[in-house]
Amino acid sequence: AGVAIGDIIWPTLAIAGSAALAASYADLLLYLKYFAVIIFLVLGINLISNQNSKISLQNLKLSKSSELAGFTAGLLVIIGNPKAALFYLGILPGFFNLSRLTITDCIAIALVSSLIPFLGNLALAVMVEKSREIISSAAAMRKLNILSGCLLIFVGLLIFIEAIKHHL
């Protein structure tokens, strides 16, 4: 739940910041779309090319076992991650015309941005043993990285095509 709250905060701040910049600099959104393309392509290429990286499984435990400690840890990890803000600043203009977003749109984006990782975290928590098997298998991890990398590249190319069509 703490992670989900953090995932509401970052896209909301990114939308507000990007919308303010878009109001002042119309061409900035086009450059941010190209920035999003670069981010997706680099992430995808890195996932595909870094197949020899070793993943160490550790027994990670909170020092204090309670719901409040887990909530606080999740919230602080997400809030303390400036990469999340940069991610949303780079990605949101690729999907939305920020100058036309309403408050309802912003709420929907923030909720979806938190709901998807929240559901993913719940699913991962339920399937921890299966996840450990997948992660510990080098062949399965390689396939997962290649698939994820290809999907990131595909999304980057879709944003690029959309940006070119919008620019013309």
Side-chain angles (χ1 to χ4, degrees), residues 1 5 10 12 14-15 43 86 88 91 100-101 103-104 122 147 165 167:
I5 299 293
W10 279 129
T12 303
I15 289 169
L43 288 173
L86 293 174
Y88 285 114
I91 301 306
R100 294 186 180 162
L101 289 180
I103 190 72
T104 305
L122 282 179
L147 175 64
K165 282 199 278 188
H167 188 67

Short mmCIF file of all heavy atoms in Angstrom, two decimals, residues 1 5 10 12 14-15 43 86 88 91 100-101 103-104 122 147 165 167:
data_model
loop_
_atom_site.label_atom_id
_atom_site.label_comp_id
_atom_site.label_asym_id
_atom_site.label_seq_id
_atom_site.Cartn_x
_atom_site.Cartn_y
_atom_site.Cartn_z
N ALA A 1 0.82 -1.20 0.00
CA ALA A 1 0.00 0.00 0.00
C ALA A 1 0.87 1.26 0.00
O ALA A 1 0.53 2.25 -0.64
CB ALA A 1 -0.93 -0.01 1.21
N ILE A 5 0.80 4.29 -2.77
CA ILE A 5 0.66 5.73 -2.47
C ILE A 5 1.79 6.50 -3.16
O ILE A 5 1.56 7.56 -3.76
CB ILE A 5 0.68 5.98 -0.94
CG1 ILE A 5 -0.47 5.27 -0.25
CG2 ILE A 5 0.70 7.47 -0.63
CD1 ILE A 5 -1.83 5.79 -0.59
N TRP A 10 4.19 10.38 -7.57
CA TRP A 10 5.13 10.73 -8.65
C TRP A 10 4.44 11.09 -9.97
O TRP A 10 4.79 12.11 -10.57
CB TRP A 10 6.15 9.62 -8.86
CG TRP A 10 7.28 9.68 -7.86
CD1 TRP A 10 7.72 8.66 -7.09
CD2 TRP A 10 8.10 10.80 -7.52
NE1 TRP A 10 8.76 9.07 -6.29
CE2 TRP A 10 9.01 10.40 -6.55
CE3 TRP A 10 8.15 12.13 -7.95
CZ2 TRP A 10 9.96 11.25 -5.99
CZ3 TRP A 10 9.10 12.98 -7.40
CH2 TRP A 10 9.99 12.54 -6.44
N THR A 12 1.51 12.27 -10.41
CA THR A 12 0.79 13.52 -10.19
C THR A 12 1.74 14.70 -10.28
O THR A 12 1.45 15.71 -10.95
CB THR A 12 0.07 13.50 -8.82
OG1 THR A 12 -0.81 12.36 -8.79
CG2 THR A 12 -0.71 14.76 -8.59
N ALA A 14 4.65 14.70 -11.80
CA ALA A 14 5.17 14.77 -13.17
C ALA A 14 4.17 15.43 -14.11
O ALA A 14 4.55 16.22 -14.98
CB ALA A 14 5.52 13.36 -13.67
N ILE A 15 2.88 15.12 -13.95
CA ILE A 15 1.85 15.74 -14.79
C ILE A 15 1.82 17.24 -14.54
O ILE A 15 1.80 18.04 -15.48
CB ILE A 15 0.46 15.13 -14.52
CG1 ILE A 15 0.39 13.71 -15.06
CG2 ILE A 15 -0.64 15.98 -15.13
CD1 ILE A 15 -0.83 12.94 -14.61
N LEU A 43 16.34 0.90 -22.23
CA LEU A 43 15.95 -0.12 -21.26
C LEU A 43 15.78 -1.48 -21.94
O LEU A 43 16.23 -2.51 -21.42
CB LEU A 43 14.65 0.27 -20.56
CG LEU A 43 14.73 1.41 -19.54
CD1 LEU A 43 13.33 1.79 -19.07
CD2 LEU A 43 15.60 1.04 -18.36
N LEU A 86 11.62 11.05 -12.93
CA LEU A 86 12.19 11.21 -14.28
C LEU A 86 11.50 10.27 -15.27
O LEU A 86 11.28 10.64 -16.42
CB LEU A 86 13.70 10.94 -14.24
CG LEU A 86 14.52 11.96 -13.48
CD1 LEU A 86 15.98 11.51 -13.39
CD2 LEU A 86 14.42 13.32 -14.13
N TYR A 88 8.36 9.20 -15.17
CA TYR A 88 7.06 9.76 -15.52
C TYR A 88 7.19 11.03 -16.35
O TYR A 88 6.41 11.25 -17.26
CB TYR A 88 6.22 10.02 -14.26
CG TYR A 88 5.66 8.75 -13.66
CD1 TYR A 88 6.07 8.31 -12.41
CD2 TYR A 88 4.74 7.99 -14.34
CE1 TYR A 88 5.57 7.15 -11.87
CE2 TYR A 88 4.23 6.82 -13.81
CZ TYR A 88 4.65 6.41 -12.57
OH TYR A 88 4.15 5.24 -12.04
N ILE A 91 7.98 9.70 -19.83
CA ILE A 91 7.03 8.78 -20.44
C ILE A 91 5.65 9.39 -20.66
O ILE A 91 5.03 9.19 -21.71
CB ILE A 91 6.91 7.50 -19.58
CG1 ILE A 91 8.25 6.82 -19.43
CG2 ILE A 91 5.87 6.56 -20.14
CD1 ILE A 91 8.96 6.50 -20.72
N ARG A 100 -4.05 19.16 -22.42
CA ARG A 100 -5.51 18.96 -22.46
C ARG A 100 -6.03 18.08 -21.33
O ARG A 100 -7.21 17.73 -21.32
CB ARG A 100 -5.91 18.35 -23.80
CG ARG A 100 -5.66 19.28 -24.95
CD ARG A 100 -6.20 18.69 -26.22
NE ARG A 100 -5.96 19.59 -27.33
CZ ARG A 100 -6.01 19.24 -28.58
NH1 ARG A 100 -6.30 18.00 -28.89
NH2 ARG A 100 -5.77 20.12 -29.52
N LEU A 101 -5.18 17.70 -20.39
CA LEU A 101 -5.62 16.83 -19.31
C LEU A 101 -6.51 17.59 -18.33
O LEU A 101 -6.23 18.72 -17.98
CB LEU A 101 -4.43 16.26 -18.55
CG LEU A 101 -3.57 15.23 -19.27
CD1 LEU A 101 -2.44 14.78 -18.37
CD2 LEU A 101 -4.40 14.05 -19.72
N ILE A 103 -8.61 17.39 -14.48
CA ILE A 103 -8.33 16.84 -13.15
C ILE A 103 -8.76 15.39 -13.07
O ILE A 103 -8.10 14.56 -12.45
CB ILE A 103 -8.97 17.70 -12.03
CG1 ILE A 103 -8.46 17.26 -10.65
CG2 ILE A 103 -10.46 17.63 -12.07
CD1 ILE A 103 -7.05 17.63 -10.38
N THR A 104 -9.85 15.05 -13.75
CA THR A 104 -10.31 13.66 -13.78
C THR A 104 -9.28 12.77 -14.48
O THR A 104 -9.01 11.65 -14.03
CB THR A 104 -11.68 13.56 -14.50
OG1 THR A 104 -12.58 14.46 -13.86
CG2 THR A 104 -12.23 12.16 -14.47
N LEU A 122 0.91 -7.62 -5.29
CA LEU A 122 0.08 -8.63 -4.62
C LEU A 122 0.24 -10.00 -5.28
O LEU A 122 0.37 -11.01 -4.59
CB LEU A 122 -1.39 -8.21 -4.65
CG LEU A 122 -1.83 -7.15 -3.65
CD1 LEU A 122 -3.31 -6.84 -3.83
CD2 LEU A 122 -1.56 -7.59 -2.23
N LEU A 147 12.02 -11.17 -23.65
CA LEU A 147 10.63 -10.77 -23.92
C LEU A 147 10.37 -9.35 -23.42
O LEU A 147 9.81 -8.53 -24.14
CB LEU A 147 9.66 -11.75 -23.26
CG LEU A 147 8.18 -11.38 -23.36
CD1 LEU A 147 7.73 -11.40 -24.82
CD2 LEU A 147 7.33 -12.32 -22.52
N LYS A 165 4.13 11.14 -36.62
CA LYS A 165 2.82 11.47 -37.23
C LYS A 165 2.30 12.80 -36.69
O LYS A 165 1.76 13.60 -37.44
CB LYS A 165 1.81 10.35 -36.95
CG LYS A 165 1.99 9.14 -37.84
CD LYS A 165 0.74 8.29 -37.86
CE LYS A 165 0.68 7.39 -36.69
NZ LYS A 165 -0.41 6.40 -36.76
N HIS A 167 4.08 15.25 -35.50
CA HIS A 167 4.98 16.32 -35.94
C HIS A 167 4.72 16.73 -37.38
O HIS A 167 4.87 17.87 -37.74
CB HIS A 167 6.43 15.89 -35.76
CG HIS A 167 7.42 16.97 -36.00
ND1 HIS A 167 7.53 18.06 -35.18
CD2 HIS A 167 8.32 17.13 -36.99
CE1 HIS A 167 8.49 18.85 -35.64
NE2 HIS A 167 8.98 18.32 -36.74
#
